[in-house]
Amino acid sequence: TVHSEWTSSFLSWRTSQDGERRLVIGRPTRSLRRSEPKEGGFQQLETRVPSDACTCSSCWRSNLLRGVGGAAGLGLLLASGQPEKLSKAFLVQEMAGMADYERLVRERKAQTFQKAIKTNVERLVEVGVGAGVNFPYFKQAGVKEVMAVEPNLNFLQKAQAAADRADIQLQVRQGVMEKMPFEDNSVDVVVGTLLLCSVQDLRQSISEVQRVLRPGGRYIFTEHVRAADGEWLRSAQDLLDPLQQAFAAGCHLSREPLPLIQETFEKVNAERWSLFDDEFTGGKPSGLPPHFLLAPHISGYAEV
C-alpha cells in the first residue's frame, strides 16, 4: 500500500560555510510511504518527491501550498533584521520558482515572439530581463544581441548564464522602464514581459517605450492583467493586491494596461488568454493552474 502525505519544505534556514544564515526558498514536497513485504512482516519505506510530481497536471493542493509558502516567506522578511537584503534574494528565488509557469506558457510565448519579431532584427532591448527566460525565444528569432535594462542587478549572474546558453551577447544597464537610457527613435524592438504589473508609473512607462522606438519599431509584451468584473478571481485579486504590492517588488494583481497601449501606439495587435483556458488545463473543469492569481493575460505587439 502507498500513503501520500503533503508537507511544505518551501522555507528553511541554512548556514553557509562562512557561518552566515540564509533563507532558502524551495518547492513544496510530498512524502510517499509504501509498505513492502519482508520476512516476518512488512517494512515501511519513505520517499520525498517534489509536489510537482503529482500525477494531476493542475493539482490544486500543490499550487495552494506554493501560495501559502510564499506568504510565509513574506512574513519572515518582515521579521528578519535585514528585510531589504532578504527581499532582493527572495525576488530572485521567486523568479526561479516561476519555472513551472514558464513551462506552462512556453508555446504561447513562442507564438507571440514568432509573430512579433521581424526576420531582420538582430539586436533588441529587453526591459526587466530578470533571469533571461526569454533568451531561447530570441535565439529562435535570430537575435544576436540584447541590451537589457534591469533595476535589480541580483539577476545579473542568472541572466548572463542564460545569454551564454543562447549564444547571445548581453549588455546590462541598471535602470527602469520609466526612464530608459536611450536616445529618441534609436531602438527597433523593445520587449517587456510580466513587467507592467510592477512599474511605478504605468503611463510614463508606455510613453517611454514609444519615445525610444524608431518609426516602424515594435513593443512586444506579455502581461498578466485583472480578471473580469464579477468573477471570483477578480475578488481574490482585489483582496490580495495590497499584500502583493508590498512584498512582490510592487507587483499589482489587477492592472489593465491594454487601453493605455492602444491609446499610445498607432497599431496594436493583441489577444487575451488565460491560464484557465483549455490549452493549459487540458479541458479539466476543476483544479488551479500554477500562479492562478496571474491567470488573465494579454500578449502581442504595438508598432510606432
Side-chain angles (χ1 to χ4, degrees), residues 239-270:
L239 178 64
L240 296 173
D241 201 23
L243 183 65
Q244 180 85 351
Q245 292 177 42
F247 300 114
C251 173
H252 293 67
L253 291 172
S254 54
R255 278 187 172 172
E256 184 54 78
L258 186 57
L260 273 177
I261 295 174
Q262 293 171 328
E263 175 186 320
T264 304
F265 291 88
E266 295 182 4
K267 178 182 178 181
V268 178
N269 186 324

Side-chain angles (χ1 to χ4, degrees), residues 23-124:
L23 177 65
V24 178
I25 302 168
R27 294 186 297 175
T29 62
R30 61 172 176 163
S31 175
L32 294 179
R33 295 175 181 165
R34 66 184 186 275
S35 299
E36 290 190 355
K38 69 173 184 178
E39 184 178 354
F42 290 85
Q43 61 178 342
Q44 296 291 325
L45 301 177
E46 181 176 2
T47 303
R48 301 197 65 82
V49 298
S51 58
D52 306 66
C54 176
T55 55
C56 171
S57 61
S58 57
C59 179
W60 66 270
R61 294 174 298 184
S62 169
N63 297 322
L64 187 60
L65 276 174
R66 296 181 190 190
V68 171
L74 297 178
L76 283 176
L77 294 181
L78 279 180
S80 72
Q82 298 175 304
E84 182 178 352
K85 179 179 179 180
L86 278 175
S87 64
K88 290 181 179 179
F90 185 81
L91 179 59
V92 173
Q93 292 288 350
E94 275 292 280
M95 288 296 291
M98 291 286 282
D100 54 350
Y101 168 88
E102 292 296 335
R103 287 193 297 270
L104 191 64
V105 303
R106 182 184 296 132
E107 292 300 322
R108 171 69 67 160
K109 289 181 74 171
Q111 292 171 14
T112 297
F113 285 116
Q114 184 178 13
K115 293 177 183 177
I117 298 181
K118 298 178 181 179
T119 55
N120 60 342
V121 173
E122 293 190 355
R123 181 178 185 269
L124 58 76

Side-chain angles (χ1 to χ4, degrees), residues 201-226:
D201 190 325
L202 185 58
R203 181 177 292 275
Q204 174 60 30
S205 297
I206 295 172
S207 296
E208 184 73 351
V209 174
Q210 183 199 43
R211 179 187 70 79
V212 303
L213 283 174
R214 294 190 179 101
R218 288 184 173 181
Y219 164 43
I220 304 172
F221 55 87
T222 290
E223 300 288 345
H224 69 85
V225 297
R226 68 181 179 221

Side-chain angles (χ1 to χ4, degrees), residues 117-139:
I117 298 181
K118 298 178 181 179
T119 55
N120 60 342
V121 173
E122 293 190 355
R123 181 178 185 269
L124 58 76
V125 170
E126 183 173 18
V127 189
V129 68
V133 296
N134 291 326
F135 289 173
Y137 309 114
F138 299 160
K139 180 180 181 179

